[in-house]
Amino acid sequence: GAGVSQSPSNKVTEKGKDVELRCDPISGHTALYWYRQSLGQGLEFLIYFQGNSAPDKSGLPSDRFSAERTGGSVSTLTIQRTQQEDSAVYLCASSLVGGLETQYFGPGTRLLVL
Amino acid sequence: RKEVEQDPGPFNVPEGATVAFNCTYSNSASQSFFWYRQDCRKEPKLLMSVYSSGNEDGRFTAQLNRASQYISLLIRDSKLSDSATYLCVVAGRSGNTPLVFGKGTRLSVIA
């Protein structure tokens, strides 16, 4: 079956603009995660959705970052007033149930803020 | 102490060599441990889970030492295709808190 998909693959934007990144999880997976990975760095957790529960937003670095998940499926990560330090690969992952389940990653969106 | 720490490498080894990576974690209550593999400019993929009794999958062996709070990954008979970054992953603080990923150890297998 189809894996996790993300769009766009690459995004170049100017400092101060807003961007939206999209994630389509594996069908039937109830948990969805957003991470970002800067060049040469590890994965930084951003936000976690599990079913209908309130999302765990503890990893969002500032109030410029927000995410929503509509209908328990597709998720959008929004970054407002982008800064150069937001440049990174944004990875989405999903898992069947959440918690300690294996996470399956999408290919990521490479964001470059000029 | 960071939640998950790994030697970043790189480890440069010849084909056929045996190589081992260690990873230390800070949360003594962690219950689940994994090794993920990430190829250059690709997404991470699960390599194997790490069980208390240790587990083996072909050329790969993972072990857990709870007393010293470290996990290890041993790769025997290294192949060129094993070249990648290996991420140590530990369950978070509690409950459904997401997994914590280490920064990874880079392995280059040389012909």
Side-chain angles (χ1 to χ4, degrees):
Chain A
V4 177
S5 61
Q6 291 186 245
S7 60
S9 302
N10 295 281
K11 177 72 177 178
V12 181
T13 191
E14 293 178 348
K15 178 180 171 182
K17 302 273 183 161
D18 297 352
V19 295
E20 281 190 355
L21 312 179
R22 177 187 167 107
C23 172
D24 275 278
I26 293 173
S27 177
H29 279 195
T30 63
L32 187 147
Y33 311 79
W34 282 100
Y35 298 87
R36 73 176 173 182
Q37 189 172 30
S38 301
L39 191 63
Q41 299 299 309
L43 270 70
E44 177 188 1
F45 164 71
L46 297 177
I47 189 168
Y48 162 45
F49 295 90
Q50 171 55 60
N52 296 322
S53 302
D56 175 355
K57 304 180 181 180
S58 60
L60 294 178
S62 77
D63 58 8
R64 296 186 297 104
F65 288 72
S66 63
E68 61 178 24
R69 189 178 184 194
T70 53
S73 182
V74 171
S75 176
T76 303
L77 176 70
T78 302
I79 309 173
Q80 295 178 308
R81 304 180 303 281
T82 51
Q83 303 294 311
Q84 289 182 330
E85 60 264 27
D86 298 336
S87 298
V89 177
Y90 288 80
L91 288 157
C92 173
S94 72
S95 64
L96 188 59
V97 182
L100 308 179
E101 291 272 326
T102 300
Q103 296 181 20
Y104 297 87
F105 284 82
T109 294
R110 282 174 176 72
L111 175 66
L112 177 62
V113 182
L114 300 176
Chain B
R1 183 178 180 183
K2 291 182 182 175
E3 286 193 78
V4 179
E5 289 200 75
Q6 298 182 248
D7 181 342
F11 284 62
N12 299 312
V13 302
E15 270 188 292
T18 295
V19 62
F21 311 134
N22 280 346
C23 161
T24 58
Y25 61 94
S26 61
N27 182 3
S28 59
S30 294
Q31 295 295 319
S32 294
F33 309 88
F34 309 87
W35 284 101
Y36 276 67
R37 170 192 169 132
Q38 186 171 25
D39 291 288
C40 189
R41 297 180 69 80
K42 297 287 189 181
E43 70 273 21
K45 292 183 179 177
L46 178 68
L47 177 66
M48 60 196 303
S49 302
V50 186
Y51 304 126
S52 296
S53 55
N55 50 303
E56 189 174 309
D57 182 2
R59 299 180 293 106
F60 298 83
T61 301
Q63 291 195 312
L64 167 65
N65 184 318
R66 285 192 185 275
S68 300
Q69 293 181 214
Y70 77 82
I71 66 174
S72 63
L73 178 68
L74 181 79
I75 305 176
R76 289 182 299 278
D77 188 23
S78 299
K79 311 290 185 192
L80 295 176
S81 56
D82 294 335
S83 298
T85 296
Y86 291 84
L87 308 176
C88 172
V89 185
V90 176
R93 293 177 294 278
S94 64
N96 288 331
T97 304
L99 307 178
V100 179
F101 287 75
K103 291 188 176 183
T105 297
R106 208 167 108 229
L107 171 66
S108 287
V109 181
I110 305 161

